[in-house]
Amino acid sequence: MSTPRDLLITASEPAIGRSVEQGDLSLALAGAEAVDLMTAGAVTLADDRLVPGERSPLADPLLDRAAAALNRQAPYETVADWLWRRGRDLTPAYLAALEADGELEERRQRRWVVLRTTSIVPADTPARRRAAQRWAAAEPVLAGLGAAVGLRDATPPVADPGTATVLAAVGDAVGELAAERRRRARRRQDAAAENVRRGY
């Protein structure tokens, strides 16, 4: 399993008790991919730019796709640019992969008498137990990504400078996205207030 998969499994855990915006999670998944690609030697970090290494197949198909998506032309891509480009619609891609592998399942819930809802939760698999162990141990990468999207309050220290750079970029990108949501909500409120003032 990979860090992005562990992050998505963790975010889907009912026991966590916190929900994550899909856009925030997509940015964090792209950050998790960057960290795993660095660990695999598929990319190195020069200042804040992702410099691709030799192309070699990776065990995880989605990570392999991420490696293929790296910008291989100098001056290469900043971590922030990678997060926004690679992160687009990344959550649905990982959800589909985990569901196809049997790592996620639908859980039916009944509310009141007639209303039934379903939620996606992790299946009882070794991958779920591995992700839970990483999370319980506050493993720095997974815990740092979780803190960036609001799944936990404290961010553990990270020894590796490259990983710290990626985690900081994820935090900044999530904050930027949250600010954009606030601006849009304010514009909607202002438009609604203007409609009321005009009698619409």
Side-chain angles (χ1 to χ4, degrees):
M1 293 296 284
S2 63
T3 300
R5 289 173 183 256
D6 286 350
L7 177 62
L8 186 50
I9 288 171
T10 302
S12 304
E13 280 286 1
I16 296 292
R18 301 187 188 186
S19 60
V20 181
E21 291 279 354
Q22 181 173 304
D24 295 351
L25 188 54
S26 287
L27 290 167
L29 289 170
E33 286 184 335
V35 172
D36 279 5
L37 290 174
M38 287 192 297
T39 301
V43 70
T44 56
L45 209 57
D47 294 325
D48 66 339
R49 295 189 178 272
L50 295 166
V51 181
E54 292 294 322
R55 279 288 285 126
S56 56
L58 299 171
D60 186 302
L62 281 170
L63 275 181
D64 204 38
R65 207 175 302 164
L70 289 165
N71 185 337
R72 295 186 171 272
Q73 291 189 338
Y76 307 112
E77 194 169 33
T78 65
V79 175
D81 288 342
W82 165 263
L83 296 178
W84 290 109
R85 180 176 66 84
R86 177 65 184 165
R88 188 179 306 276
D89 298 324
L90 199 54
T91 298
Y94 271 95
L95 278 172
L98 286 172
E99 285 187 79
D101 292 344
E103 301 295 345
L104 297 177
E105 61 188 11
E106 284 190 357
R107 176 177 294 173
R108 291 182 180 273
Q109 299 171 322
R110 184 186 288 272
R111 296 182 181 178
W112 299 298
V113 179
V114 295
L115 181 62
R116 284 185 180 174
T117 61
T118 59
S119 59
I120 301 296
V121 298
D124 186 15
T125 64
R128 180 186 191 181
R129 291 188 284 277
R130 177 182 179 276
Q133 286 171 356
R134 287 183 75 183
W135 186 253
E139 189 274 324
V141 175
L142 186 60
L145 291 165
V149 296
L151 290 176
R152 72 188 314 146
D153 299 322
T155 303
V158 178
D160 178 63
T163 300
T165 298
V166 172
L167 293 179
V170 171
D172 290 345
V174 169
E176 189 178 331
L177 193 54
E180 178 58 27
R181 287 194 200 100
R182 289 192 294 270
R183 284 192 293 270
R184 289 179 182 176
R186 196 174 306 119
R187 286 197 294 268
R188 285 194 297 269
Q189 291 169 354
D190 291 346
E194 181 65 15
N195 287 340
V196 170
R197 187 183 68 79
R198 293 181 177 186
Y200 294 154

